Amino acid sequence: MTHSSTLPQHTRTARQAVWLLVLLALPTGLGLALNAQITVMTQAMLYVLAVVVGAYVLPAAASVACAVLAVVGLNFFFVPPRWTFAVDSQEHLVALVVMLVVALVISQLSQRLRRNTALARLHARRAEQLQTLASELAQCTDAKAAAQVGALYMARAFDGPTVLALRAQDDALQAVDTAVALNPSLQDGLRAAMREASVLGPGTGRWPGLNAWYLPLGTAQHMHGAVCIQNIDASDETGREHAQALCALVAQTLERVQLGREMALANERNTRQQLQNTFLAAVSHDLRTPLAALVGNASSLLTQRDKMTFHEQASLLEDIVRSVSHLSRLTDNTLQLVQLTNTAEPLAVDWEALEEIAGACVARQRLAGAGTRIRLHMPADLPLVRVNAVLMAQLLDNLLDNALKYSEDAVDLKVRLCKGQMQLMVQDRGPVIPPDVHAQIFEPYSRGDRSGKQGAGLGLALCRAIARAHGGQISLRVRQGGGNSFRVCVPLAAEVPTAPPGEPL
Amino acid sequence: MSLQVLVVEDDRSIREMMRQALSLEGFAVRTAVSVSEATSMVEHATPDLMLLDLGLPDGDGAALLQRIRWRHNFPVLVVSARHQEAQKVQLLDAGADDYLVKPFSVAELLARIRVALRHRGTTVAAAITRHTLEGLDIDLDVRSVHLDGAELHLTPTEFNLLARLVRSAGKVVTHRQLLLDVWGAEYVDHTHYVRLYMGQLRAKLEHNPAEPRHLLTEVGVGYRIATA
């Protein structure tokens, strides 16, 4: 156990001998020095005091030796006839025997007290160990980390070598400490504990011949691995209970981690399935409609061009360009959404000025014919943010497209700093989207049925995916005075970079 | 003699569209469908300009561009899909002159080609030292910038940044190129320098900095100074 001293045996014995000598020399020396002043009875008290002190500082055997030597010393040095082991009166003999009994009883009592104190300390330390293990395990998110924490606590709690092994996917056992080789007998023990889902080894009634305990990590249904603790004491029942409690904690965590992983996998499958359904729905509507228009317009140009006026031809061509650019936007959105949803890679972000991205988007919309319908509102000196510029531009393009499509009036694009976040707002005066569909409008392919116009389908779903990928969010509100207000919030970085030194800006 | 344009594009319909549009404008057009074909065509006769598609079947446009830049100086325009930002920027940094994002209109294609041809040879001698557009007048030789007749005072860094854009007027200059040429090689990761100084330049040069007329943003790529 960890409470035994770490000093080598011979050093300990020597130190005890010194203590013994000092304890006995003190009353003897004092008695000889004060020879005339004190009686034999007082001298006996001095020796008893030495025995009491000895019982507290010395282990059991040395303490008994101290008691016996104290009686012998009293007899030799002080009981008449002095300087002999002989006892002249019966009274002195009785006194010596009584003193011996008293010394031994005191020694035994204080030994028991010391044992109980040590045991109480051990229990307290183990309880604390369980508590800290539990709180450390609570922070573990993967099996390997949990097993490492568990192995560390096992090694701390027990003197003998401890091994914690996990069962890998191919059923092989792998020790957490990779330096440890699992020899065949160790493997057998670990596997047997896992198979029987119970503790094996001395004191358990199973495999009593071993010099080690084998403890399973998990239950019969969900077995994660096993622990081996070597060089144990068969009678150390509380030690075994402690080991079992530690194992139970580790097993619980392994179970939690595995369940979490399974749930995440199931969620992922579910999301992928949903996404597939969404794309099927998108293909069946959002692609078909512009495709039909394209085929119709192009084929009528091909076959009836001679009968058409120049103006009619131009109008058909314009329709074709419009359908095609819609298809192009739809394809961009779909690809980007799939990419964002399916990749676990972190976003490539850089320091960007949102007003710059907004300016570029507005310029593009103006070129595409939005003219003066977009009004841009931005204060000067907005801080830089960590974003992916291309994605943020795509988000703004989608919101602006939508707003321009569903309203005839001006569309306001606002960028502002609010409560430690950057806010982008796209506001229109179009037909109000009823608040009861606000929640579902960001779901892939739910258009909120806005007056039957050709929707972007996945546009708002992509906007939400982009906002979330940046740690931000998107929301929709009814605008004061009529219309809709889309708001995107992007968190500010903890440290916003400033200009390089050396030149005043 | 008409100018020679080499179109390197593996998609037949886009290749044909570009061939037709460029022929109508009076260019002599040759086409290649792969990196290897393009390499041998450049060896055989040096074109005046090359349109290079990203994602060719037999290899990397970047490797081709590198080989070409060893010996030739003709402008190269990169044609890319929207999601190929990283490759596009990589090629621009490796010496491509400008880029076009599919789908593009014929008008855009011709405008980019005109700018690229105007710059022919500028990598050897800085030909453009004067830039004038709508009240903005920049003269690199005497280091002066005038807006609507009034002289503007720029800090040295602001002026260097502006000068770098003017030397490539009309063409995109990547963030990396700007950092490299204005601040130096050890600052190529300090992208926020460019953003902050560009904001300052716009505040001085633009009537409406939020919607710049001169200093245009190419989102995710770099900046270009407008020439028209």
Side-chain angles (χ1 to χ4, degrees):
Chain A
M1 296 290 134
T2 43
H3 61 264
S4 61
S5 167
T6 49
L7 290 174
Q9 184 63 37
H10 58 89
T11 319
R12 245 183 298 164
T13 317
R15 181 171 291 189
Q16 286 164 14
V18 170
W19 264 109
L20 199 59
L21 279 178
V22 170
L23 280 175
L24 292 174
L26 277 177
T28 312
L30 197 64
L32 292 176
L34 303 175
N35 204 1
Q37 278 93 341
I38 56 173
T39 63
V40 173
M41 200 174 80
T42 315
Q43 185 61 45
M45 286 298 155
L46 286 176
Y47 275 112
V48 170
L49 184 62
V51 170
V52 171
V53 174
Y56 272 99
V57 298
L58 295 171
S63 157
V64 170
C66 181
V68 172
L69 286 175
V71 174
V72 171
L74 179 67
N75 179 15
F76 184 78
F77 292 111
F78 300 103
V79 174
R82 296 180 66 177
W83 310 103
T84 67
F85 289 111
V87 182
D88 60 354
S89 77
Q90 208 164 12
E91 191 204 335
H92 282 140
L93 187 65
V94 171
L96 281 178
V97 171
V98 168
M99 187 186 152
L100 181 65
V101 171
V102 166
L104 287 176
V105 167
I106 286 174
S107 158
Q108 284 308 307
L109 282 178
S110 32
Q111 281 303 319
R112 193 174 302 165
L113 193 63
R114 279 179 55 182
R115 253 202 317 276
N116 286 344
T117 313
L119 210 58
R121 270 202 208 116
L122 183 66
H123 283 312
R125 201 170 45 237
R126 283 178 171 168
E128 196 200 327
Q129 257 179 359
L130 284 174
Q131 210 173 7
T132 52
L133 174 64
S135 64
E136 275 192 46
L137 284 174
Q139 287 161 18
C140 291
T141 50
D142 64 304
K144 201 173 169 209
Q148 270 167 350
V149 171
L152 187 72
Y153 272 78
M154 291 290 169
R156 253 188 236 163
F158 297 96
D159 282 343
T162 57
V163 176
L164 193 154
L166 286 187
R167 186 161 69 179
Q169 271 170 351
D170 54 355
D171 211 40
L173 276 177
Q174 172 76 52
V176 172
D177 181 1
T178 44
V180 174
L182 296 178
N183 60 42
S185 67
L186 191 62
Q187 284 237 16
D188 284 349
L190 292 170
R191 282 194 187 282
M194 286 165 64
R195 200 168 48 241
E196 298 185 22
S198 60
V199 188
L200 307 177
T204 64
R206 297 168 198 228
W207 297 33
L210 291 174
N211 183 29
W213 287 322
Y214 290 93
L215 302 105
L217 286 173
T219 57
Q221 286 80 34
H222 304 280
M223 188 55 67
H224 302 282
V227 171
C228 171
I229 302 167
Q230 285 161 4
N231 296 338
I232 41 80
D233 178 1
S235 63
D236 184 12
E237 198 164 322
T238 56
R240 199 177 65 242
E241 278 166 8
H242 183 56
Q244 275 175 282
L246 289 174
C247 284
L249 277 180
V250 175
Q252 265 173 23
T253 307
L254 292 173
E255 186 70 20
R256 170 175 64 79
V257 167
Q258 190 181 344
L259 281 178
R261 206 171 45 220
E262 278 167 11
M263 208 151 80
L265 275 177
N267 272 346
E268 202 178 297
R269 267 199 299 277
N270 200 5
T271 316
R272 204 169 292 155
Q273 186 67 45
Q274 264 182 4
L275 211 61
Q276 265 174 10
N277 295 345
T278 302
F279 292 142
L280 283 179
V283 167
S284 69
H285 181 274
D286 272 13
L287 289 183
R288 256 193 215 156
T289 316
L291 276 176
L294 261 180
V295 172
N297 289 339
S299 60
S300 77
L301 267 177
L302 197 63
T303 53
Q304 304 168 310
R305 189 173 34 195
D306 301 343
K307 301 173 200 158
M308 288 182 193
T309 65
F310 178 77
H311 183 73
E312 283 168 335
Q313 290 184 18
S315 151
L316 283 183
L317 284 168
E318 266 172 35
D319 269 3
I320 289 178
V321 170
R322 200 165 28 243
S323 295
V324 167
S325 47
H326 173 71
L327 282 178
S328 164
R329 169 60 50 84
L330 186 68
T331 313
D332 280 345
N333 283 346
T334 311
L335 286 177
Q336 195 60 260
L337 187 59
V338 174
Q339 217 173 8
L340 271 182
T341 323
N342 278 1
T343 180
E345 272 176 47
L347 215 55
V349 294
D350 209 336
W351 290 112
E352 303 281 354
L354 276 187
E355 60 265 40
E356 194 170 74
I357 297 171
C361 289
V362 170
R364 201 153 51 213
Q365 294 283 359
R366 292 209 199 292
L367 263 175
T372 52
R373 279 185 59 203
I374 303 182
R375 293 185 305 210
L376 191 55
H377 313 262
M378 292 192 296
D381 296 329
L382 286 169
L384 299 182
V385 283
R386 298 282 292 170
V387 295
N388 180 303
V390 178
L391 288 180
M392 286 311 284
Q394 201 169 357
L395 184 157
L396 271 183
D397 277 341
N398 275 319
L399 288 182
L400 288 173
D401 266 0
N402 255 6
L404 290 167
K405 190 153 56 191
Y406 290 111
S407 82
E408 308 290 327
D409 297 319
V411 169
D412 292 293
L413 170 57
K414 298 175 182 167
V415 185
R416 63 177 193 182
L417 186 63
C418 181
K419 294 176 198 155
Q421 288 188 317
M422 286 291 269
Q423 286 189 348
L424 292 163
M425 287 195 284
V426 176
Q427 302 176 316
D428 63 50
R429 291 277 177 217
V432 172
I433 303 170
D436 54 323
V437 300
H438 281 189
Q440 70 199 41
I441 201 163
F442 297 106
E443 294 300 326
Y445 202 66
S446 72
R447 190 138 21 89
D449 194 34
R450 296 181 73 173
S451 60
K453 289 199 188 183
Q454 205 172 50
L458 297 167
L460 286 176
L462 177 63
C463 288
R464 185 177 65 174
I466 292 175
R468 287 185 177 171
H470 285 93
Q473 48 199 309
I474 186 168
S475 59
L476 168 60
R477 283 175 204 190
V478 176
R479 190 179 178 187
Q480 274 191 342
N484 304 291
S485 173
F486 285 89
R487 172 184 300 184
V488 181
C489 294
V490 182
L492 279 183
E495 264 182 67
V496 177
T498 47
E503 188 183 273
L505 268 178
Chain B
M1 197 186 112
S2 55
L3 290 165
Q4 298 272 334
V5 176
L6 176 58
V7 175
V8 190
E9 164 68 74
D10 60 324
D11 184 89
R12 196 182 59 84
S13 52
I14 295 180
R15 192 171 62 233
E16 281 309 302
M17 183 273 283
M18 289 202 270
R19 196 186 57 75
Q20 199 174 19
L22 293 174
S23 301
L24 279 175
E25 293 295 314
F27 292 103
V29 184
R30 290 183 299 152
T31 58
V33 298
S34 64
V35 168
S36 52
E37 196 180 352
T39 310
S40 56
M41 285 177 103
V42 169
E43 293 302 317
H44 181 250
T46 310
D48 295 297
L49 181 137
M50 182 164 87
L51 290 166
L52 174 61
D53 181 52
L54 277 183
L56 289 166
D58 64 335
D60 189 1
L64 172 64
L65 185 67
Q66 214 169 25
R67 272 201 303 278
I68 287 174
R69 280 289 174 257
W70 278 51
R71 277 203 246 153
H72 303 289
N73 198 27
F74 56 81
V76 175
L77 295 190
V78 173
V79 180
S80 80
R82 181 164 178 160
H83 58 274
Q84 294 173 312
E85 258 78 21
Q87 284 167 276
K88 188 165 69 196
V89 172
Q90 190 197 345
L91 275 188
L92 287 170
D93 284 336
D97 289 70
D98 213 330
Y99 72 99
L100 273 166
V101 178
K102 288 186 210 171
F104 51 83
S105 66
V106 172
E108 261 179 284
L109 172 66
L110 295 175
R112 288 275 181 277
I113 288 180
R114 270 195 296 274
V115 169
L117 287 175
R118 192 163 61 227
H119 278 276
R120 196 154 49 132
T122 53
T123 40
V124 186
I128 297 177
T129 56
R130 185 86 191 252
H131 174 84
T132 318
L133 182 71
E134 288 181 18
L136 178 66
D137 182 2
I138 305 168
D139 191 335
L140 300 188
D141 287 333
V142 297
R143 291 181 76 86
S144 77
V145 181
H146 288 85
L147 182 65
D148 300 330
E151 175 150 21
L152 295 182
H153 295 284
L154 302 186
T155 67
T157 308
E158 285 169 359
F159 185 84
N160 291 343
L161 184 59
L162 187 62
R164 179 63 188 83
L165 290 170
V166 166
R167 284 192 201 99
S168 301
K171 294 203 301 181
V172 68
V173 187
T174 64
H175 301 132
R176 189 188 154 81
Q177 285 166 346
L178 287 173
L179 283 161
L180 207 61
D181 294 347
V182 177
W183 281 273
E186 62 269 43
Y187 292 99
V188 288
D189 295 324
H190 294 47
T191 41
H192 60 278
Y193 285 15
V194 183
R195 308 256 184 273
L196 291 165
Y197 274 91
M198 197 56 77
Q200 289 300 315
L201 263 184
R202 281 190 177 133
K204 291 185 180 178
L205 260 62
E206 300 283 359
H207 292 294
N208 178 5
E211 296 191 51
R213 170 70 187 92
H214 301 287
L215 301 171
L216 308 180
T217 307
E218 297 282 322
V219 173
V221 179
Y223 298 93
R224 97 170 65 227
I225 195 164
T227 50

